[in-house]
Short mmCIF file of all heavy atoms in Angstrom, two decimals:
data_model
loop_
_atom_site.label_atom_id
_atom_site.label_comp_id
_atom_site.label_asym_id
_atom_site.label_seq_id
_atom_site.Cartn_x
_atom_site.Cartn_y
_atom_site.Cartn_z
N LEU A 588 42.01 22.05 -30.22
CA LEU A 588 40.69 22.60 -30.50
C LEU A 588 40.73 24.11 -30.55
O LEU A 588 40.11 24.73 -31.43
CB LEU A 588 39.69 22.13 -29.44
CG LEU A 588 38.25 22.61 -29.61
CD1 LEU A 588 37.63 22.06 -30.90
CD2 LEU A 588 37.40 22.20 -28.41
N ARG A 589 41.46 24.73 -29.62
CA ARG A 589 41.58 26.19 -29.62
C ARG A 589 42.16 26.68 -30.94
O ARG A 589 41.70 27.66 -31.52
CB ARG A 589 42.47 26.62 -28.45
CG ARG A 589 42.67 28.14 -28.37
CD ARG A 589 43.93 28.46 -27.57
NE ARG A 589 45.13 27.98 -28.26
CZ ARG A 589 46.33 27.92 -27.70
NH1 ARG A 589 46.50 28.27 -26.43
NH2 ARG A 589 47.37 27.50 -28.39
N ASP A 590 43.18 25.98 -31.46
CA ASP A 590 43.78 26.38 -32.73
C ASP A 590 42.77 26.29 -33.87
O ASP A 590 42.74 27.14 -34.76
CB ASP A 590 44.99 25.52 -33.03
CG ASP A 590 46.17 25.79 -32.10
OD1 ASP A 590 46.13 26.82 -31.39
OD2 ASP A 590 47.09 24.95 -32.06
N GLN A 591 41.92 25.26 -33.83
CA GLN A 591 40.93 25.11 -34.90
C GLN A 591 39.84 26.20 -34.80
O GLN A 591 39.30 26.62 -35.82
CB GLN A 591 40.32 23.70 -34.83
CG GLN A 591 41.34 22.62 -35.19
CD GLN A 591 40.85 21.22 -34.94
OE1 GLN A 591 39.64 20.97 -34.86
NE2 GLN A 591 41.78 20.28 -34.81
N VAL A 592 39.57 26.64 -33.58
CA VAL A 592 38.64 27.77 -33.41
C VAL A 592 39.26 29.04 -33.96
O VAL A 592 38.62 29.84 -34.65
CB VAL A 592 38.26 27.93 -31.93
CG1 VAL A 592 37.36 29.16 -31.75
CG2 VAL A 592 37.56 26.68 -31.41
N ALA A 593 40.54 29.22 -33.64
CA ALA A 593 41.23 30.47 -34.04
C ALA A 593 41.51 30.51 -35.52
O ALA A 593 41.50 31.60 -36.12
CB ALA A 593 42.52 30.60 -33.25
N LEU A 594 41.78 29.36 -36.16
CA LEU A 594 42.27 29.37 -37.53
C LEU A 594 41.23 28.92 -38.55
O LEU A 594 41.33 29.28 -39.72
CB LEU A 594 43.50 28.44 -37.64
CG LEU A 594 44.71 28.81 -36.80
CD1 LEU A 594 45.78 27.74 -36.91
CD2 LEU A 594 45.27 30.18 -37.23
N HIS A 595 40.26 28.10 -38.13
CA HIS A 595 39.36 27.51 -39.10
C HIS A 595 37.90 27.88 -38.81
O HIS A 595 37.64 29.06 -38.58
CB HIS A 595 39.61 26.00 -39.14
CG HIS A 595 41.03 25.63 -39.45
ND1 HIS A 595 41.65 25.99 -40.62
CD2 HIS A 595 41.97 24.98 -38.70
CE1 HIS A 595 42.91 25.57 -40.62
NE2 HIS A 595 43.13 24.96 -39.46
N ALA A 596 36.99 26.93 -38.82
CA ALA A 596 35.56 27.29 -38.76
C ALA A 596 34.85 26.50 -37.69
O ALA A 596 33.69 26.09 -37.86
CB ALA A 596 34.92 27.06 -40.12
N CYS A 597 35.51 26.28 -36.58
CA CYS A 597 34.91 25.50 -35.49
C CYS A 597 34.02 26.41 -34.62
O CYS A 597 34.49 27.42 -34.09
CB CYS A 597 35.99 24.85 -34.62
SG CYS A 597 35.33 23.78 -33.34
N SER A 598 32.75 26.01 -34.44
CA SER A 598 31.81 26.85 -33.69
C SER A 598 31.33 26.22 -32.38
O SER A 598 30.59 26.84 -31.64
CB SER A 598 30.57 27.16 -34.55
OG SER A 598 30.93 27.97 -35.64
N GLY A 599 31.76 24.98 -32.11
CA GLY A 599 31.33 24.32 -30.89
C GLY A 599 31.88 22.91 -30.83
O GLY A 599 32.21 22.32 -31.87
N ALA A 600 31.98 22.39 -29.62
CA ALA A 600 32.56 21.05 -29.48
C ALA A 600 32.04 20.36 -28.24
O ALA A 600 31.73 20.99 -27.23
CB ALA A 600 34.09 21.13 -29.44
N VAL A 601 31.95 19.03 -28.34
CA VAL A 601 31.45 18.18 -27.25
C VAL A 601 32.55 17.22 -26.85
O VAL A 601 32.98 16.39 -27.65
CB VAL A 601 30.20 17.40 -27.71
CG1 VAL A 601 29.72 16.48 -26.60
CG2 VAL A 601 29.10 18.35 -28.15
N TYR A 602 33.00 17.34 -25.58
CA TYR A 602 34.05 16.47 -25.08
C TYR A 602 33.41 15.23 -24.45
O TYR A 602 32.45 15.32 -23.69
CB TYR A 602 34.89 17.21 -24.02
CG TYR A 602 36.05 16.41 -23.53
CD1 TYR A 602 37.28 16.45 -24.16
CD2 TYR A 602 35.93 15.56 -22.42
CE1 TYR A 602 38.36 15.69 -23.72
CE2 TYR A 602 36.98 14.79 -21.97
CZ TYR A 602 38.21 14.86 -22.62
OH TYR A 602 39.25 14.10 -22.18
N THR A 603 33.95 14.07 -24.75
CA THR A 603 33.46 12.80 -24.19
C THR A 603 34.26 12.44 -22.94
O THR A 603 35.46 12.20 -23.06
CB THR A 603 33.58 11.68 -25.23
OG1 THR A 603 32.86 12.04 -26.40
CG2 THR A 603 33.07 10.37 -24.68
#
Side-chain angles (χ1 to χ4, degrees):
L588 181 64
R589 180 201 65 192
D590 290 346
Q591 293 171 22
V592 176
L594 299 174
H595 304 299
C597 184
S598 293
V601 178
Y602 184 89
T603 303

